[in-house]
Amino acid sequence: MFRANWTAVVTVLCIGFSAHFNSVAAQDRRVPSSPAELRLSYAPIVQRVQPAVVNVYAAKVVQNRNPLLDDPIFRRFFGGGQQQEQVQRSLGSGVIVDASGLVVTNVHVIEGADQVKVSLSDKREFEAEIVLKDSRSDLAVLRLKDAREKFPALEFTNSDELMVGDVVMAIGNPFGVGQTVTHGIISALARTQVGITDYQFFIQTDAAINPGNSGGALVDMNGRLAGINTAIYSRSGGSQGIGFAIPANMVRVVVASAKSGGKAVKRPWLGAKLQAVTPEIAESLGLRSPTGALVASVVPNGPAAKAGLKSSDLITGIDGQTVDDPNAFDYRFATRPIGGSAQIDVQRGGKPLKLAIALETAPDTGRNELVVTARSPFQGAKVSTITPAVADELHLDADTEGVVITELGDDSPAAQVGFQKGDIILAVNNQKIGKTGDLEKAAGVSQRIWRITLVRGGQQINVTLGG
């Protein structure tokens, strides 16, 4: 699987070069002066890095369900029949990041898989277990089963030190043809408008990346992991010179959580809602350009409030790094380790000041996740009470109340009636739903008519369903 479904608009600019420039360029051309210059190669880096890049195979068993079996008359005359099983397979890449056999790949490569296999560069195959999935960053960590050896692993580079123009190589398994190496440069940094994960902060490269490269390595010229390839911008499905990678500093955070035994990534909680600075807001604030992250609201008693951050403050930097927009701040803040504090640069009323924000996790007591099993429109939905941690994960206002759907089985009744991940259930048959226990109780009562009030995309919706 691979993220490559955008509609691209391609503009070609034809630029005429002057005769003078051509004459200068001709003077700079020269024939290689020695056999050594002809032998310049990336091969030493590839040989060192390639053994740590793997192929990831995911398989999922699905039922081929005949819709005619829903008709009782059809079942009476033709029998119930048997539902045929079909195995859906997906192919991607991965990177060994620890000698014990920890592998990083993309969540979308192994999403919903019943079985995951990893093939090494020497053709050996291992079953793999999923240690951690972090949908917010589209990163997953696998562990090779029955591994009794030390594996070649890649070290992380500091992705904050990368520069546009740096040479990089992409290694993965495009189109399933086998391990392939391509090279190019870093075309841009801090891309925040890609729209595929919660943390919009990507490395852009022109190294050829294609379907199957998902989860593969983007490495620098020191043979260190600069990022995990995750998406391309294409209208043909193939590489058009615009690929995106998740920076190594975000990958490092996810791997650290997996190593510590966590099932979820622990990240700092700001306790404030940020918004982008529009040209109109910039003009009203007397800014020369619309940059920074504007504080829209602050959660009482949260880290931001305790540090003295206020609504209408403009965040311009964190720990000495410039913040251009809320996405940049979210990424910078999320990659800070828990504990200690981060120093943020703020403009308040046109005057600069510095605030120290404590790096602590959001309160998460009372989440009480459960899967609704009672025969009802909610059957098969995984739901959670909205805690500050849940609100932070789903980008909800901190004072949001109710129960939110966090997962849906593809063939579950809840999915079939039209519920979506992120729906907030406020009431069922005029009964307020404040926690998951309330929804479980309401779903357990047989009803001919279900009247449901929910919030989707900020809009309140009233739904009536038959029992």
Side-chain angles (χ1 to χ4, degrees):
M1 299 174 65
F2 201 73
R3 306 291 179 97
N5 57 354
W6 294 284
T7 301
V9 178
V10 181
T11 303
V12 179
L13 301 179
C14 297
I15 304 175
F17 293 92
S18 69
H20 172 72
F21 185 89
N22 285 331
S23 64
V24 172
Q27 292 172 7
D28 289 339
R29 295 192 185 109
R30 65 184 179 86
V31 175
S33 59
S34 68
E37 289 192 2
L38 289 173
R39 288 195 297 269
L40 291 177
S41 172
Y42 297 122
I45 300 172
V46 174
Q47 290 172 358
R48 187 167 72 250
V49 169
Q50 214 167 19
V53 182
V54 300
N55 299 334
V56 178
Y57 302 90
K60 177 183 179 181
V61 178
V62 296
Q63 301 284 344
N64 277 340
R65 184 172 172 275
N66 190 337
L68 293 175
L69 295 178
D70 293 335
D71 188 337
I73 298 178
F74 183 91
R75 291 200 304 270
R76 177 180 177 184
F77 286 99
F78 297 99
Q82 293 184 348
Q83 295 183 1
Q84 295 182 347
E85 290 186 347
Q86 181 181 4
V87 178
Q88 290 182 349
R89 303 183 187 277
S90 63
L91 170 66
S93 305
V95 182
I96 302 175
V97 291
D98 188 88
S100 65
L102 282 184
V103 175
V104 173
T105 187
N106 287 134
V107 168
H108 72 262
V109 170
I110 51 90
E111 189 67 78
D114 299 312
Q115 182 185 47
V116 179
K117 287 186 177 182
V118 171
S119 175
L120 306 187
S121 61
D122 61 9
K123 307 302 181 184
R124 287 184 298 159
E125 285 192 355
F126 290 84
E127 296 278 348
E129 62 175 327
I130 300 172
V131 178
L132 183 151
K133 289 196 306 182
D134 184 48
S135 298
R136 300 186 72 183
S137 64
D138 193 25
L139 291 171
V141 181
L142 316 175
R143 177 179 286 112
L144 303 184
K145 294 181 179 179
D146 302 321
R148 299 180 179 87
E149 62 183 277
K150 289 188 175 181
F151 297 91
L154 292 191
E155 296 180 0
F156 295 102
T157 193
N158 182 356
S159 53
D160 287 341
E161 295 179 352
L162 296 173
M163 299 181 67
V164 175
D166 284 349
V167 176
V168 287
M169 291 185 296
I171 307 176
N173 186 5
F175 298 111
V177 300
Q179 197 172 90
T180 301
V181 180
T182 57
H183 91 285
I185 63 169
I186 292 177
S187 307
L189 294 167
R191 285 299 194 208
T192 60
Q193 304 299 321
V194 181
I196 56 176
T197 70
D198 282 0
Y199 297 106
Q200 297 294 305
F201 201 86
F202 293 90
I203 300 168
Q204 182 182 326
T205 179
D206 66 348
I209 297 174
N210 287 289
N213 272 108
S214 278
L218 188 73
V219 299
D220 64 15
M221 289 299 98
N222 292 313
R224 294 177 299 187
L225 186 67
I228 295 294
N229 301 320
T230 192
I232 58 174
Y233 186 79
S234 175
R235 63 177 180 181
S236 65
S239 174
Q240 291 185 307
I242 303 178
F244 300 99
I246 301 166
N249 287 1
M250 177 60 77
V251 182
R252 193 198 310 266
V253 170
V254 175
V255 171
S257 293
K259 285 183 176 181
S260 67
K263 295 297 182 183
V265 179
K266 292 184 177 180
R267 296 185 172 95
W269 176 50
L270 178 63
K273 187 174 182 180
L274 307 179
Q275 70 180 73
V277 178
T278 63
E280 291 77 17
I281 292 175
E283 184 178 357
S284 68
L285 295 176
L287 302 176
R288 295 181 61 184
S289 58
T291 60
L294 189 66
V295 179
S297 61
V298 178
V299 179
N301 299 317
K306 292 177 181 178
L309 196 68
K310 298 180 180 180
S311 296
S312 300
D313 282 352
L314 181 68
I315 299 175
T316 59
I318 175 171
D319 289 338
Q321 295 174 310
T322 301
V323 169
D324 291 327
D325 55 35
N327 286 323
F329 179 85
D330 287 347
Y331 168 81
R332 299 289 187 198
F333 195 67
T335 53
R336 296 299 186 270
I338 300 296
S341 63
Q343 188 176 76
I344 61 172
D345 299 315
V346 174
Q347 284 191 17
R348 178 182 296 167
K351 297 181 179 180
L353 68 151
K354 295 183 182 293
L355 301 175
I357 304 284
L359 298 171
E360 58 188 52
T361 57
D364 202 23
T365 55
R367 181 188 290 246
N368 299 325
E369 282 188 325
L370 59 85
V371 177
V372 180
T373 57
R375 185 178 177 85
S376 68
F378 305 100
Q379 188 176 5
K382 187 175 183 180
V383 295
S384 172
T385 303
I386 300 176
T387 64
V390 173
D392 185 51
E393 291 171 10
L394 300 178
H395 304 290
L396 305 174
D397 291 335
D399 58 354
T400 303
E401 296 181 351
V403 170
V404 63
I405 296 176
T406 57
E407 287 184 28
L408 281 169
D410 293 338
D411 299 322
S412 66
Q416 292 175 3
V417 300
F419 284 115
Q420 298 177 10
K421 180 179 177 180
D423 284 349
I424 300 170
I425 311 302
L426 300 180
V428 176
N429 292 328
N430 298 320
Q431 297 295 315
K432 182 181 177 181
I433 304 299
K435 55 185 182 296
T436 55
D438 298 337
L439 181 61
E440 187 177 36
K441 182 178 179 181
V445 179
S446 179
Q447 302 283 349
R448 295 184 61 186
I449 299 294
W450 295 85
R451 294 181 175 86
I452 302 165
T453 302
L454 60 90
V455 173
R456 177 181 296 171
Q459 299 295 319
Q460 183 168 310
I461 303 172
N462 295 309
V463 179
T464 301
L465 300 172

